[in-house]
Amino acid sequence: MSKVSLSEYELDNIRVGEGITLAAVMAILALSIVMTLVYKMYTSKEGKTTIPGGWSFQRK
């Protein structure tokens, strides 16, 4: 394995942060799903919800 020096133009075009952005978007998505489930359960008289994967929650 050999090292190759990058030109100034190539160094200027390197962008970082895509992984952090993707992780933040996924965290917000997961939080919104959980908040929707909690809202659905506590605003109904019989809170029952089922999510994919066989998870089922019921408020008595």
Side-chain angles (χ1 to χ4, degrees), residues 1 3 8 14 35 41 44-45 58:
M1 186 164 97
K3 296 181 181 180
E8 290 294 324
I14 294 175
M35 292 304 296
M41 288 179 65
S44 65
K45 292 181 180 180
Q58 185 173 3

Side-chain angles (χ1 to χ4, degrees), residues 30-44:
L31 184 62
S32 67
I33 291 171
V34 169
M35 292 304 296
T36 302
L37 291 174
V38 169
Y39 176 77
K40 181 180 175 182
M41 288 179 65
Y42 288 105
T43 57
S44 65

Side-chain angles (χ1 to χ4, degrees), residues 3 7 9 11-13 15 18-19 21 23-24 27 29 38 42 45 47 50-51 54 56 60:
K3 296 181 181 180
S7 68
Y9 176 76
L11 289 172
D12 289 339
N13 286 325
R15 302 285 182 245
E18 291 88 2
T21 303
L29 178 64
V38 169
Y42 288 105
K45 292 181 180 180
T50 304
I51 58 175
S56 178
K60 294 182 180 182

